[in-house]
């Protein structure tokens, strides 16, 4: 039996850091975040002070549940601690988002290299081509869509996120069509599916000004939120896959 045991898998924290800094896409994101993070603390009254929250969405919006107010004047140990916790939370959110982008870039590079090594496709004869033309195109397209959406449902991280999105969206729909006064119910699905849900809000908001079709605004917003949540779930699923995957070990 060997006397020295090698770990079979790299710690997930190390793998997360590698994804967050291993390619130009993730490093570029971290550079933009670092610039906005500096602006937030040096110029808290500027229009760009809130950009770190948007760049680190949707995880950064969880800070609304904490008694933190980084824009307020710091005049004590409690306020200083609150600002420090807020800053650390933003840094962690940026690290996770950078790892998501790194996993996405790694997947794209892997797909490109795999496609380059594939042999030339088989050219069917006319009889085979005629037989597959009736049923062939739809099935590969459906399989491609399933493969694209698979990361959103094949791991607990993405499934848990989709459950949160479903609860927030269900609450919004109930408030919009059942309750007499929906109030600010739309803020929950907006925060849960940011940053892409901001586009859904930008598209649905102008519809409210036309009384004849104002009822379409909640539906358009809900569809946009659902699509935004699905995109975020796919990205989180890709990150979960990369964190679970084993690095190849050299042969001894």
């Amino acid at each position: 039996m060997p006397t020295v045991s090698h770990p079979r898998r790299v710690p997930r924290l190390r793998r997360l850091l590698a994804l967050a800094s291993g390619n130009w896409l993730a490093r570029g994101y971290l550079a933009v975040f670092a610039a906005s993070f500096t602006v937030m603390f040096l110029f808290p009254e500027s229009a760009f002070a809130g950009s770190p929250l948007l760049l680190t969405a949707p995880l950064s919006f969880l800070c609304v549940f904490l008694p933190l107010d980084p824009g307020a004047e710091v005049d004590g140990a409690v306020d200083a601690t609150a600002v420090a916790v807020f800053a650390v939370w933003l840094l962690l959110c940026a690290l996770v988002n950078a790892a998501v982008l790194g996993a996405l870039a790694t997947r794209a590079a892997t797909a490109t290299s795999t496609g380059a090594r594939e042999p030339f496709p088989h050219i069917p004869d006319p009889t085979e081509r005629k037989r597959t033309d009736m049923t062939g195109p739809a099935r590969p397209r459906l399989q491609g869509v399933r493969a694209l959406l698979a990361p959103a449902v094949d791991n607990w991280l993405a499934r848990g996120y989709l459950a949160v999105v479903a609860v927030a969206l269900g609450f919004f729909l109930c408030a919009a069509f059942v309750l007499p006064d929906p109030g600010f119910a739309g803020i929950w699905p907006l925060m849960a599916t940011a940053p892409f849900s901001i586009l859904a809000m930008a598209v649905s908001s102008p519809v409210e000004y036309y009384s004849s079709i104002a009822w379409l605004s909640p539906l358009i917003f809900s569809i946009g939120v659902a699509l935004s949540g699905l995109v975020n779930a796919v990205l989180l699923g890709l990150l979960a896959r990369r964190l679970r995957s084993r690095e190849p070990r050299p042969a001894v």
Side-chain angles (χ1 to χ4, degrees):
M1 294 179 62
T3 57
V4 180
S5 60
H6 298 278
R8 292 191 173 185
R9 59 178 61 185
V10 180
R12 292 186 178 180
L13 180 59
R14 252 177 63 189
R15 198 171 302 161
L16 183 72
L17 294 175
L19 287 172
S21 59
N23 56 81
W24 64 268
L25 184 61
R27 289 194 295 266
Y29 166 79
L30 288 178
V32 173
F33 169 76
S36 66
F37 189 78
T38 304
V39 168
M40 181 182 67
F41 282 97
L42 294 181
F43 308 100
E45 301 298 330
S46 68
F48 299 98
S51 56
L53 282 173
L54 180 61
L55 287 173
T56 54
L59 293 177
S60 60
F61 285 111
L62 291 176
C63 67
V64 300
F65 299 102
L66 302 176
L68 304 178
D69 188 8
E73 184 179 355
V74 180
D75 57 355
V78 176
D79 290 342
T81 302
V83 173
V85 171
F86 177 77
V88 171
W89 176 250
L90 283 185
L91 292 174
L92 291 176
C93 294
L95 183 64
V96 172
N97 283 3
V100 169
L101 292 176
L104 184 63
T106 304
R107 181 177 184 273
T110 303
T112 302
S113 61
T114 303
R117 293 195 300 266
E118 287 182 353
F120 290 105
H122 169 67
I123 301 178
D125 55 31
T127 304
E128 183 180 355
R129 185 180 306 168
K130 183 177 180 180
R131 185 172 60 253
T132 57
D133 283 344
M134 301 299 295
T135 59
R139 181 164 298 180
R141 193 174 305 153
L142 182 60
Q143 292 176 349
V145 173
R146 288 179 177 175
L148 184 64
L149 299 180
V153 294
D154 64 358
N155 59 90
W156 66 266
L157 182 62
R159 289 195 295 265
Y161 170 75
L162 286 179
V164 172
V165 172
V167 171
L169 188 57
F171 175 74
F172 166 73
L173 290 174
C174 179
F177 292 104
V178 178
L179 299 181
D181 183 15
F184 294 96
I187 195 66
W188 305 115
L190 178 68
M191 291 191 303
T193 57
F196 300 106
S197 57
I198 296 177
L199 297 177
M201 183 181 65
V203 172
S204 62
S205 295
V207 180
E208 295 182 356
Y209 294 100
Y210 300 94
S211 57
S212 60
I213 57 174
W215 60 274
L216 280 176
S217 180
L219 293 178
I220 296 174
F221 177 73
S222 300
I223 293 173
V225 162
L227 293 176
S228 301
L230 189 60
V231 171
N232 286 349
V234 169
L235 295 177
L236 287 175
L238 290 176
L239 175 61
R241 284 184 175 184
R242 292 297 172 186
L243 293 178
R244 287 201 313 260
S245 61
R246 297 183 179 181
E247 289 188 354
R249 292 179 299 165
V252 179

